[in-house]
């Protein structure tokens, strides 16, 4: 909760500097609530407006469940580590992604 405004401000600042592709590292995150999800959706909109991309590094099944319950699991590209997320080529995909089937 305390870090959501800080993260959002940092992303907006980086976008203004010309950065377009981001990895959000949630690997050490122990808790994510609706304010955190709202911040992620908000920064995603800013990033997509600049034709950028957002990947999320997170392998914690409980944290991933928050995205499932929020209906956002298939919207984002999840990776087990920052290194894995960075290793993937940057590409622009449409957002939000609409999936015909939903899996946990």
């Amino acid at each position: 909760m305390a870090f959501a405004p800080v993260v959002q401000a940092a992303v907006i600042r980086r976008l203004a500097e010309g950065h377009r592709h981001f990895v959000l590292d949630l690997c050490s995150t122990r808790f994510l609530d609706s304010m955190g999800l709202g911040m992620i959706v908000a920064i995603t909109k800013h990033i997509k407006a600049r034709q950028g991309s957002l990947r999320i590094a997170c392998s914690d099944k409980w944290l991933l469940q928050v995205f499932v319950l929020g209906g956002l699991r298939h919207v984002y590209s999840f990776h087990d580590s920052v290194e894995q997320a960075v290793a993937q080529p940057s590409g622009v995909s449409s957002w939000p992604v609409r999936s015909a089937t939903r899996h946990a």
Side-chain angles (χ1 to χ4, degrees):
M1 198 165 88
F3 291 106
V6 174
V7 172
Q8 188 166 358
V11 168
I12 290 169
R13 184 177 62 253
R14 297 282 188 184
L15 283 166
E17 294 169 355
H19 299 274
R20 291 186 9 221
H21 304 289
F22 296 83
V23 173
L24 180 60
D25 182 2
L26 297 180
C27 292
S28 320
T29 303
R30 301 278 182 233
F31 177 77
L32 184 67
D33 62 2
S34 60
M35 184 173 187
L37 281 180
M39 177 273 300
I40 293 169
V41 169
I43 64 172
T44 300
K45 289 179 181 181
H46 286 288
I47 291 167
K48 292 298 180 178
R50 301 277 179 112
Q51 291 75 45
S53 64
L54 174 66
R55 294 191 178 120
I56 298 176
C58 177
S59 60
D60 184 285
K61 67 179 183 175
W62 300 111
L63 229 64
L64 292 172
Q65 189 63 22
V66 173
F67 287 91
V68 170
L69 294 172
L72 298 171
R73 179 63 176 96
H74 295 286
V75 171
Y76 294 99
S77 173
F78 291 91
H79 304 271
D80 289 336
S81 67
V82 170
E83 294 77 19
Q84 185 186 72
V86 171
Q88 300 295 313
S90 293
V92 179
S93 60
S94 61
W95 187 84
V97 174
R98 303 209 192 287
S99 177
T101 59
R102 298 200 179 235
H103 303 282

